[in-house]
Amino acid sequence: QVQLVESGGGSVQPGGSLRLSCVASGFTFYIYAMSWVRQAPGKGREWVASINTSDKSGIYADSVQGRFAISRNDAANTLYLQMNNLKPEDTAVYYCVKDWGRQANRVEPSGPGTQVTVSS
């Protein structure tokens, strides 16, 4: 079955960086667009970024544009999210999901997620 396992979260100060990873199994990873979504305490799921399969270009939520970069390694069945200049409002549990675009926030995450905490 589809398995998505996120890792790489942690606690950082504002302005810091983290790189999240998501290892996929149970499906043909390279033919699917993938996304990152996040959920902060007491809030709904928010779409963060998506990456396609053709030219592997990404699209981003306005809140992370210019600070985050999504990428993928199809040979390793792995999705990444490089997060720079982190802000306290980026604090959330981050999940990877098998979907494209803003609608990805409607997908129920199957993985455990990885916690990102940005605080001074």
Side-chain angles (χ1 to χ4, degrees):
Q1 73 272 19
V2 173
Q3 282 198 322
L4 297 166
V5 181
E6 304 88 351
S7 63
S11 295
V12 297
Q13 293 186 340
S17 297
L18 286 171
R19 189 191 195 204
L20 307 184
S21 298
C22 168
V23 178
S25 62
F27 66 102
T28 307
F29 180 74
Y30 75 91
I31 67 173
Y32 286 94
M34 296 292 295
S35 297
W36 287 96
V37 299
R38 66 187 181 185
Q39 188 159 19
K43 295 187 177 181
R45 258 190 320 270
E46 176 190 15
W47 169 72
V48 175
S50 298
I51 186 167
N52 64 24
T53 60
S54 53
D55 62 0
K56 299 184 182 178
S57 61
I59 57 172
Y60 300 90
D62 290 344
S63 58
V64 306
Q65 179 75 48
R67 300 187 296 120
F68 290 12
I70 188 171
S71 61
R72 63 191 297 161
N73 180 339
D74 289 340
N77 286 356
T78 303
L79 179 72
Y80 302 100
L81 185 68
Q82 178 67 43
M83 306 188 296
N84 299 325
N85 191 20
L86 282 160
K87 302 177 180 181
E89 51 264 43
D90 294 320
T91 295
V93 179
Y94 285 70
Y95 303 91
C96 61
V97 296
K98 188 162 64 77
D99 207 335
W100 166 261
R102 297 181 185 278
Q103 68 189 22
N105 70 338
R106 302 177 190 172
V107 177
E108 188 68 31
S110 61
T114 187
Q115 175 72 49
V116 172
T117 302
V118 185
S119 173
S120 55

